[in-house]
Amino acid sequence: MYNQHIISQGATLIEALRQLNKLSGGIMTLMAVDDCGVMTGTLTDGDVRRALLAGVGLDSTVQTVMHRDFKSLCMGNIDVAAIRRFRQAGIRLLPVIAPDGSIVRLLDLSRNNTILPVSAVLMAGGRGERLRPMTDTLPKPLLPIDGKAIIDYNIEALAAAGINDITIATNYLAEKLEEHFSKPVAGVNVKCMRESSPLGTIGALSLMPERDHEGTTLVMNSDLLTTVSFEEMYLTHVDRQADITVAVLPYTVSVPYAILCTDPDTHRVSGIEEKPAYSYYANAGIYLIANRLLDALVPGRHFDATDLVELAVRQGKTVTYYPISGTWIDVGTPTDFRQAEELMRHLRNFSQSGCV
């Protein structure tokens, strides 16, 4: 609830101080509204302190000292780039304003980095064969890494990006995932959607109800541990007016031999390259997809995300890529699992040491 941050512009400064005192330890900012509930300004404890030092009395009203030039977002037209600018400017509490000027939401930028206007689907139907026997009784996304289910790291990251429309596509041991998400995770009521048979890495989206064709869906594998910036990926997607954006990993192949440079027509050698290295981009299993492209999915038919990418390329759609900088681990083998455990343990210890 955000009512504790709302105050009448006609309230006195002493009343404002009492209300600010109740916010101690949190974000000490008040949103001033008029008698009709229209937002008119903001007030912080620093504003009150400076006003008192300037000789303003405690019986003066909030309206006399509040900031009228406040930053806000318009409901139904969330500007992700603006949110990032506000966050970088140090704004911690950002109001979302309805057309009538009333406050419909307060965005806590200390908890949510942004509000991405996308829905998310996490694919969690695989059997995790390479991680048996751990996956004999527990689906791979629920395997604990440093005391937390793998999939919950992703739910928390999505929630921090302001994404609260999250669906999990399940198949193997679906009841375990349904039980896990019977309660909110990271404040999000996660929905589960069960496949009757394996439908590939994106086929399950054909089972979803009618979607906004002007919207965007984020699709990702649920068994990843990654620090990908969903905000930066989304802004790249929008900036390039992309139909599909694929998150990718730089991948280098080193050849341990001297490679001949040849002309296939003359069969002549034009040079020798000693132990060359070739760089590529590998698919990271995370996609932003324009919803209108999902009409290509046939309900109940197996379809992989790579099939949709190839179809979009053939149709001349704009398919672009976003390189991940940071952590990305596909927890697919026992070696990957041990690496992920060590990484998350290190990050937790690092955080507890006060270094972040």
Side-chain angles (χ1 to χ4, degrees), residues 13 16-17 20 23 27-31 41-51 62 65-67:
L13 293 186
L17 283 173
L20 285 165
L23 299 175
I27 301 176
M28 299 179 69
T29 302
L30 298 177
M31 308 291 158
T42 62
L43 185 76
T44 68
D45 60 327
D47 294 330
V48 177
R49 186 170 58 252
R50 284 185 289 272
V62 167
V65 299
M66 68 185 185
H67 282 282

Side-chain angles (χ1 to χ4, degrees), residues 134-332:
M134 289 189 291
T135 53
D136 285 344
T137 57
L138 201 64
K140 182 167 63 168
L142 293 185
L143 293 178
I145 297 288
D146 195 35
K148 185 187 300 181
I150 295 171
I151 195 170
D152 284 357
Y153 286 101
N154 293 316
I155 299 297
E156 290 175 356
L158 292 169
I163 301 172
N164 54 27
D165 181 5
I166 303 176
T167 301
I168 310 299
T170 67
N171 179 252
Y172 176 66
L173 295 177
E175 66 281 359
K176 298 280 189 180
L177 285 156
E178 291 164 357
E179 179 183 359
H180 180 78
F181 289 111
S182 62
K183 292 186 268 187
V185 174
V188 178
N189 291 309
V190 178
K191 301 180 287 288
C192 289
M193 174 177 60
R194 188 184 295 203
E195 300 173 335
S196 58
S197 60
L199 296 178
T201 57
I202 202 174
L205 272 71
S206 65
L207 306 177
M208 297 185 70
E210 192 70 22
R211 61 182 66 87
D212 175 13
H213 273 210
E214 297 304 313
T216 303
T217 298
L218 187 152
V219 181
M220 68 181 293
N221 298 336
S222 63
D223 53 1
L224 303 176
L225 285 179
T226 178
T227 57
V228 62
S229 170
F230 294 119
E231 178 188 59
E232 191 64 38
M233 184 176 176
Y234 175 79
L235 289 172
T236 299
H237 180 79
V238 171
D239 183 61
R240 295 175 180 172
Q241 298 181 316
D243 295 294
I244 299 179
T245 298
V246 184
V248 296
L249 297 164
Y251 188 79
T252 300
V253 177
S254 298
V255 180
Y257 307 106
I259 299 299
L260 299 183
C261 301
T262 61
D263 185 326
D265 294 324
T266 63
H267 304 288
R268 297 183 63 178
V269 175
S270 58
I272 296 180
E273 192 172 358
E274 190 68 36
K275 299 180 180 179
Y278 302 98
S279 295
Y280 303 93
Y281 283 119
N283 185 356
I286 306 172
Y287 311 85
L288 281 172
I289 304 171
N291 286 348
R292 59 185 176 275
L293 269 65
L294 298 176
D295 289 342
L297 306 180
V298 178
R301 181 179 296 178
H302 187 283
F303 211 92
D304 285 329
T306 51
D307 297 329
L308 187 62
V309 170
E310 291 176 347
L311 176 62
V313 170
R314 289 198 301 272
Q315 293 178 341
K317 305 294 185 182
T318 302
V319 179
T320 187
Y321 61 92
Y322 172 75
I324 293 176
S325 59
T327 300
W328 183 93
I329 301 176
D330 177 6
V331 187

